[in-house]
Amino acid sequence: MAGMKSIPFTVAKNEQFFDRLGDYIGDVFYDILPEQGFELRDEQIYMAFQLEQAFKHKKTIFAEAGVGTGKTIVYLLYAICYARYMRKPVIISCADETLIEQLVKEGGDIDKLEKALGLEVDVRLAKARENYLCMKKLDPLSEYTEDEEILDVHDSVPDFVFDQGVSMQSFYPYGDRKDYPWLSDKQWEQIGWDPLKQCATCDFRHRSAQTLHRDYYRHAQDIIICSHDFYMEHVWTKESRIREGQLPLLPEASAVVFDEGHLLEFSAQKGLTYRFNYQNITNVLTGYQGQDVREESLQLAEDIMTLHDDWFDLITEIAVRVEGSNRLEIPRNPKMIEMAERLEKMVQELLEQLVFDAELFTMDAYHTKIIEEYLEFFTYGLSIFLKDDEGVYWLEEDGDESSLVIMPRLVEDVLREEVFQKNIPFIFSSATLSQDGDFSYTARSLGVDSYESFSVESPFEYEKVRAIKDHSYTDDTEKFEGIAQQLQDNEGHSLILFRSEEEMQVFREWAQEKEWSFDLLFEGDKEISELVRTFQLNASSTLCAYHLWEGLDVPGESLTQVIIASLPYPPDDPVFKAKRKHAGNPYEEIDLPYMQLRLKQGIGRLIRTEHDKGVVHIWKQA
C-alpha cells in the first residue's frame, strides 16, 4: 500500500518478524518506557509474552489482567506492529463510547505511546449510526425550532452539505455526536440518525455525516476503534451489504482486540435483533402503492397494513412493563400468534406479487429492491417470532414510537461460524473474564471452542488503599438519606452507580428537593465524554450514572468514593428470562455471575493508579 507506515524496528532478510518483534517489545518495556517515566511491571512483561504467542500463531486468547497492569499499552503495541507487518489495520472493539474515549483522548494510552516511542499512530474511529447527524431531521427542524443550541448545530454544518455543485474532494467528516457536547441526549434524539429514515434514498446520502466518516475510517493504516455493537453489526450485515453492492461496515482486519470482552455476548445478541417499528411497514407499503402496480397487489398491501395495525395494537395492549428495563414483556397470546401467522402468509404472497409486478416493468427497479429487502427482513423476523423457544421478543417504547424487537435466543453458533472461524488473532482483554480462573463460561457463551488464557492480578495493594463497606436499607428514602450523608461526608468527589436509569431518575427527583454544597452531574444531560470531562475537572462534583460500571477512568481527587446504589443483578426482562429458562440453576448460572462481574467492574472504578485511595459503599436491600 502506498504510503504505508513502517514497522518501528528493522527486520533483516535473514531475520524473522516475530523474533525482532520480541526484541523490540523487550526494549520498549525494559528500557524506553522506564526512561520516559513509566514503571516497569512484571505483569506487563508476562502479558506481552502471552500476546506474542497469540499473534504469532493466530490464536484466540482470553487476557484477564487487573487494574494497573497496563494491559492496554501491551495490546496497543502489538496491534500497531502487527497491523504494519500485515499491511491491514487491527480493529479494537470497545464496550462503549466511554472506553473509546479513554483510548483516544489527549493524555490517553495512544497519546502516551506516541509521545514515549516517537510514533505517529493512524487511529480512526468507527461509530454506530446513532452517533451521526441526520440532515433529513435537522434541516426541516431548523425552520421552526426555537432551541438555540440546535440552531447552533445547523449553523455549524459545512457549506458543501447544501451546495450540490461542490467537488467531492472538498468533503471532510463532520456531524459526530461528540462535536456537540452541549446537547443533551433528548436534544440529540431530535437530530441524530433515525432508523425510520431511508438513508439509501436520501438526498444527502453522499454528503451525510455517516457516509463521510465511514469513508474516512476505512482508510486507516494502523487501528480502527469501534464499539462491540458496531463490530457485531458489521459481522451480521457483511454478506447482505456485499450482495447489495455495498462495502461492509468495516474493512478486513489483520487482528481483532475486544476490550472489556466479557460484554461481547450482549452486543452480539443486540446485533442479531430484528427491530420492527410500528410505522416501518406502513411507510414501505405506502411507497409500494405509489408505484404503477396491479389492483390485486394494492389491495393485498392495504390488507397487510390493516392486519399489522391490529396486531401491533394487540401487542401494545398485552405488553407488561419490566422495572429496570426499557423492554416490555409480551406474553405468548394465542390470538397474537394466529394474527402473526396470517401476516407472514400475506407478506409472502405480496413478495410473489412483487416479482410479477416488477416483470411488467411498471415499477422503479431501485424501489422494488428496497421494498423486497424490507419484506424479506420482516418475514424472517416473523419466522423467529413464531418458533416457540427459538426467539426472544419484547416491545420497546420511546415517546410515541413503539418497536417490536425479536432476537435469536442463542448467538454462540453464529459467532462460532461467522467470527471465530477466521484465521486471525482474537484478543479478549478485561479485568473480569473468568470466574475464579475458569474461562469456560465466557468461552461457551461466545462460541469459542479453542483458546489460550491467562490471569494477571492487579499490582495495587487494595487492602491498604481501598475500603469496602456494606450497608442495608428497607426503602428508597432510607437508602437515599444514607447516600446523601456519604456524599456530604466526602464533600462530593464521588461516583454513584445505579442498577438502571429508572433508579437514577428516582434518586434525581429526591435529590432536587435537597441542598447540595457541590454539583450533581447526571448521565444523559450532556454527551458522555464531555460529562466525564466535567466531572474530572470539577473535583468536588458527584457523577450519577447507570452505564459507567466499566470503562470510566478518572484517577486522582475527583473520584475518591464509589457508591453502588443497588446490587447490579440483571433485569427481569425477556432476554434474561429466556436465559434463566434454559439454565439448570438460574440464580447460580445466570444472575449471580452477571452481578458479580458487574459489581467487580463497578468497584474497579475507584483505584486507577498507585496514588489513588478511597472507599466503596455497597447498598443492599435488607
Side-chain angles (χ1 to χ4, degrees):
M1 183 188 295
M4 191 75 192
K5 292 181 178 292
S6 61
I7 299 168
F9 52 87
T10 57
V11 183
K13 289 183 178 180
N14 62 339
E15 293 177 317
Q16 295 294 317
F17 167 77
F18 281 101
D19 292 339
R20 290 292 295 120
L21 175 63
D23 294 340
Y24 174 70
I25 296 294
D27 290 343
V28 168
F29 284 119
Y30 284 111
D31 298 323
I32 301 174
L33 291 185
E35 287 173 4
Q36 297 288 330
F38 288 73
E39 183 182 348
L40 176 63
R41 291 174 177 154
D42 292 339
E43 295 88 357
Q44 273 186 323
I45 305 299
Y46 177 75
M47 181 178 178
F49 176 75
Q50 299 294 328
L51 287 199
E52 182 178 316
Q53 299 307 304
F55 276 97
K56 184 176 182 178
H57 300 292
K58 298 182 179 179
K59 298 274 191 179
T60 295
I61 189 167
F62 292 109
E64 184 176 60
V67 176
T69 53
K71 56 183 177 291
T72 308
I73 295 289
V74 179
Y75 77 61
L76 281 172
L77 264 174
Y78 279 100
I80 295 163
C81 295
Y82 195 71
R84 295 183 180 186
Y85 170 61
M86 298 296 291
R87 296 184 173 269
K88 282 184 185 176
V90 169
I91 290 173
I92 298 177
S93 176
C94 298
D96 54 31
E97 304 299 328
T98 312
L99 265 169
I100 292 174
E101 181 63 22
Q102 299 299 333
L103 284 175
V104 300
K105 70 180 181 181
E106 185 176 350
D109 287 325
I110 292 175
D111 186 40
K112 289 176 183 175
L113 265 185
E114 286 185 314
K115 290 174 179 174
L117 303 179
L119 287 174
E120 185 178 330
V121 183
D122 183 15
V123 55
R124 307 187 188 191
L125 307 187
K127 296 186 178 182
R129 293 172 292 188
E130 292 83 357
N131 289 281
Y132 298 122
L133 198 62
C134 173
M135 290 306 300
K136 274 291 191 181
K137 291 170 71 177
L138 175 61
D139 206 31
L141 180 61
S142 68
E143 296 295 327
Y144 62 85
T145 186
E146 296 181 0
D147 189 327
E148 291 293 333
E149 293 181 329
I150 287 179
L151 290 173
D152 286 344
V153 175
H154 191 267
D155 290 343
S156 72
V157 173
D159 291 340
F160 67 73
V161 176
F162 306 100
D163 188 348
Q164 297 277 6
V166 175
S167 165
M168 290 183 67
Q169 292 185 343
S170 64
F171 291 6
Y172 57 86
Y174 73 98
D176 188 329
R177 169 72 175 98
K178 193 173 179 294
D179 297 337
Y180 318 107
W182 60 85
L183 294 180
S184 70
D185 288 354
K186 290 294 183 185
Q187 288 172 304
W188 180 253
E189 285 174 9
Q190 298 179 61
I191 61 174
W193 175 83
D194 191 331
L196 289 181
K197 300 297 181 185
Q198 294 291 339
C199 295
T201 57
C202 176
D203 299 338
F204 292 100
R205 67 184 180 277
H206 297 305
R207 292 162 289 140
S208 73
Q210 182 184 161
T211 299
L212 295 181
H213 275 278
R214 283 184 179 169
D215 182 64
Y216 174 71
Y217 71 66
R218 281 193 181 104
H219 292 89
Q221 295 181 15
D222 292 330
I223 294 172
I224 297 173
I225 305 180
C226 65
S227 66
H228 291 344
D229 286 355
F230 190 78
Y231 182 80
M232 295 319 306
E233 184 182 355
H234 157 71
V235 171
W236 307 143
T237 62
K238 181 179 178 180
E239 294 305 321
S240 63
R241 290 180 66 88
I242 291 173
R243 282 197 306 271
E244 294 161 12
Q246 297 178 307
L247 289 171
L249 293 179
L250 292 166
E252 285 294 322
S254 57
V256 181
V257 177
F258 296 110
D259 199 332
E260 302 295 357
H262 65 287
L263 297 173
L264 185 65
E265 181 194 4
F266 300 105
S267 294
Q269 289 175 323
K270 183 178 176 182
L272 264 181
T273 56
Y274 293 81
R275 184 175 296 272
F276 303 101
N277 186 276
Y278 177 74
Q279 289 295 329
N280 273 10
I281 198 163
T282 300
N283 293 343
V284 169
L285 293 184
T286 301
Y288 179 56
Q289 290 178 317
Q291 302 292 314
D292 185 14
V293 297
R294 294 166 301 123
E295 185 63 37
E296 50 264 50
S297 300
L298 294 174
Q299 185 58 55
L300 183 55
E302 190 65 42
D303 292 343
I304 289 172
M305 286 190 285
T306 301
L307 178 57
H308 176 265
D309 288 353
D310 293 342
W311 183 58
F312 235 100
D313 287 344
L314 176 61
I315 289 173
T316 305
E317 181 184 323
I318 64 176
V320 180
R321 188 163 297 280
V322 178
E323 186 178 354
S325 172
N326 67 337
R327 298 165 176 166
L328 282 73
E329 186 176 2
I330 305 171
R332 203 160 177 86
N333 177 291
K335 184 179 179 183
M336 174 187 70
I337 298 300
E338 183 271 330
M339 292 172 77
E341 288 172 343
R342 278 197 288 141
L343 194 55
E344 182 188 33
K345 185 177 179 181
M346 290 167 68
V347 173
Q348 289 284 13
E349 186 180 342
L350 185 59
L351 272 167
E352 294 173 10
Q353 299 275 27
L354 183 63
V355 173
F356 189 65
D357 287 337
E359 287 175 350
L360 295 177
F361 303 104
T362 57
M363 292 183 65
D364 173 76
Y366 188 77
H367 278 89
T368 303
K369 186 178 178 183
I370 294 290
I371 296 164
E372 186 178 46
E373 283 175 6
Y374 184 79
L375 293 181
E376 288 175 349
F377 163 83
F378 188 83
T379 53
Y380 189 75
L382 276 180
S383 71
I384 297 174
F385 179 84
L386 288 168
K387 291 173 186 172
D388 190 21
D389 215 32
E390 282 197 18
V392 182
Y393 49 86
W394 62 88
L395 190 71
E396 286 184 7
E397 291 183 343
D398 183 10
D400 296 332
E401 301 288 345
S402 295
S403 297
L404 172 66
V405 185
I406 303 170
M407 181 184 81
R409 183 172 62 82
L410 300 175
V411 296
E412 58 259 41
D413 290 342
V414 187
L415 281 169
R416 181 180 291 109
E417 185 65 30
E418 298 296 333
V419 179
F420 298 113
Q421 290 295 321
K422 292 183 182 298
N423 187 31
I424 62 173
F426 288 101
I427 314 299
F428 285 83
S429 172
S430 175
T432 50
L433 285 169
S434 73
Q435 293 174 284
D436 298 323
D438 181 2
F439 294 85
S440 60
Y441 172 81
T442 302
R444 190 169 57 248
S445 67
L446 292 169
V448 178
D449 298 325
S450 175
Y451 60 91
E452 304 293 327
S453 64
F454 68 90
S455 294
V456 177
E457 292 295 326
S458 170
F460 299 152
E461 298 181 88
Y462 286 124
E463 64 278 2
K464 294 183 179 180
V465 297
R466 183 186 71 192
I468 298 178
K469 300 180 180 180
D470 291 344
H471 308 272
S472 63
Y473 67 95
T474 54
D475 57 37
D476 282 347
T477 301
E478 180 184 2
K479 176 170 68 174
F480 293 164
E481 291 286 359
I483 289 174
Q485 188 61 54
Q486 289 161 358
L487 292 176
Q488 296 292 2
D489 291 346
N490 204 56
E491 298 179 343
H493 306 272
S494 301
L495 168 69
I496 310 178
L497 290 171
F498 295 93
R499 179 172 174 246
S500 67
E501 182 181 7
E502 289 86 350
E503 185 185 29
M504 186 187 79
Q505 294 302 342
V506 171
F507 173 77
R508 183 175 193 156
E509 291 173 13
W510 179 87
Q512 285 173 344
E513 304 299 319
K514 306 293 179 182
E515 293 289 332
W516 302 93
S517 58
F518 44 81
D519 291 336
L520 288 179
L521 309 173
F522 288 88
E523 182 179 344
D525 285 354
K526 289 183 179 180
E527 188 268 333
I528 192 67
S529 61
E530 178 66 15
L531 187 71
V532 171
R533 181 173 174 275
T534 302
F535 173 56
Q536 192 159 15
L537 293 176
N538 183 358
S540 65
S541 62
T542 289
L543 176 59
C544 304
Y546 54 95
H547 269 142
L548 298 179
W549 292 80
E550 54 267 312
L552 182 68
D553 187 14
V554 180
E557 287 300 309
S558 295
L559 180 48
T560 59
Q561 177 173 256
V562 171
I563 299 173
I564 293 172
S566 294
L567 290 178
Y569 282 104
D572 195 28
D573 69 10
V575 173
F576 282 97
K577 278 193 173 182
K579 283 177 171 286
R580 295 181 188 110
K581 181 179 177 182
H582 293 271
N585 185 327
Y587 180 75
E588 293 288 338
E589 296 176 33
I590 305 299
D591 290 13
L592 190 60
Y594 176 94
M595 187 278 288
Q596 288 175 332
L597 286 176
R598 202 156 174 78
L599 182 63
K600 189 176 178 182
Q601 286 284 345
I603 292 171
R605 297 313 96 209
L606 182 65
I607 307 299
R608 308 305 299 172
T609 72
E610 63 270 24
H611 305 297
D612 290 343
K613 59 184 178 179
V615 61
V616 177
H617 296 284
I618 302 174
W619 286 86
K620 303 175 182 178
Q621 190 154 19

